[in-house]
């Protein structure tokens, strides 16, 4: 991961690549502790903002304190999270140029979450509000399904 760097982006700190990456390149593993929903801190308002990533209906990977905590959302991402066997891996879903920010769509992992998040990604395809996967536009959900990045618990 020496090709990844933390840098200030449009909306705060983000992860950027120092080298070009081809589609389907594994970028990193999310490496925080696995937690049950009931183990999440009581003061969490938004698990995504607090760097928790859902990996099953009732399981999350918590913050690691490492680079994987700083990957930002985009409604037009260049990466997606693959969930398998209580693990989460980040893969590129398109070619990425050196210097680009690494992003993924937070909605794909969200299941049974009532909160929403105002999106500030600035993409032409910005949905304005980030909410759970079932609210994705149908064509977008079909695109992610075709790529294989909708977790089993969200199909």
């Amino acid at each position: 991961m020496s090709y990844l760097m933390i840098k200030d982006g449009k909306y705060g700190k983000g992860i950027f690549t120092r080298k070009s990456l081809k589609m389907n390149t594994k970028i990193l593993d999310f490496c925080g502790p696995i937690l049950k929903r009931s183990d999440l801190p009581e003061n969490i308002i938004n698990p995504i903002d607090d760097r928790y990533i859902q990996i099953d209906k009732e399981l999350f990977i918590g913050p690691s304190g490492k680079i994987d905590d700083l990957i930002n959302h985009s409604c037009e991402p260049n990466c997606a999270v693959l969930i398998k066997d209580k693990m989460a891996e980040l893969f590129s879903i398109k070619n990425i140029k050196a210097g680009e920010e690494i992003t993924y769509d937070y909605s794909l992992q969200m299941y049974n979450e009532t909160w929403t998040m105002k999106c500030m990604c600035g993409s032409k395809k910005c949905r304005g509000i980030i909410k759970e996967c079932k609210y994705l536009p149908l064509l977008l959900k079909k695109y992610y399904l075709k790529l294989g990045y909708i977790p089993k618990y969200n199909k």
Side-chain angles (χ1 to χ4, degrees):
M1 289 192 307
S2 61
Y3 60 88
L4 298 177
M5 63 182 163
I6 300 170
K7 186 171 129 179
D8 285 329
K10 277 197 260 184
Y11 302 103
K13 291 196 183 312
I15 303 305
F16 293 76
T17 180
R18 297 177 203 267
K19 70 177 190 175
S20 295
L21 304 170
K22 293 184 187 256
M23 183 175 175
N24 296 320
T25 299
K26 182 177 175 182
I27 310 284
L28 57 76
D29 293 317
F30 288 84
C31 56
I34 295 177
L35 302 167
K36 294 177 186 171
R37 183 183 298 275
S38 60
D39 294 332
L40 296 176
E42 288 182 27
N43 61 351
I44 275 187
I45 296 170
N46 178 337
I48 298 297
D49 271 353
D50 288 328
R51 306 303 178 196
Y52 291 80
I53 184 168
Q54 195 163 4
I55 57 169
D56 204 337
K57 289 181 179 181
E58 297 295 321
L59 292 176
F60 294 77
I61 293 178
S64 67
K66 298 179 182 176
I67 200 165
D68 58 311
D69 290 347
L70 298 175
I71 302 165
N72 289 317
H73 164 84
S74 177
C75 293
E76 197 171 0
N78 52 22
C79 294
V81 176
L82 182 63
I83 307 290
K84 60 181 184 182
D85 301 324
K86 296 183 184 177
M87 294 181 62
E89 302 171 323
L90 189 71
F91 284 85
S92 58
I93 58 172
K94 53 179 77 168
N95 293 331
I96 304 172
K97 295 178 184 172
E100 277 190 67
E101 183 171 9
I102 301 294
T103 59
Y104 72 96
D105 189 333
Y106 291 175
S107 295
L108 297 183
Q109 284 70 52
M110 292 170 55
Y111 173 84
N112 200 24
E113 296 298 325
T114 56
W115 57 266
T116 61
M117 180 178 92
K118 182 180 177 186
C119 183
M120 300 182 300
C121 75
S123 124
K124 291 178 184 176
K125 296 181 180 181
C126 184
R127 299 187 303 273
I129 300 288
I130 303 308
K131 47 190 168 184
E132 67 177 290
C133 187
K134 72 181 179 184
Y135 297 109
L136 284 174
L138 185 58
L139 287 177
L140 183 58
K141 190 166 184 176
K142 284 182 178 181
Y143 167 74
Y144 286 131
L145 277 167
K146 183 179 176 185
L147 290 177
Y149 287 104
I150 301 271
K152 284 189 272 186
Y153 59 86
N154 260 334
K155 292 182 181 172

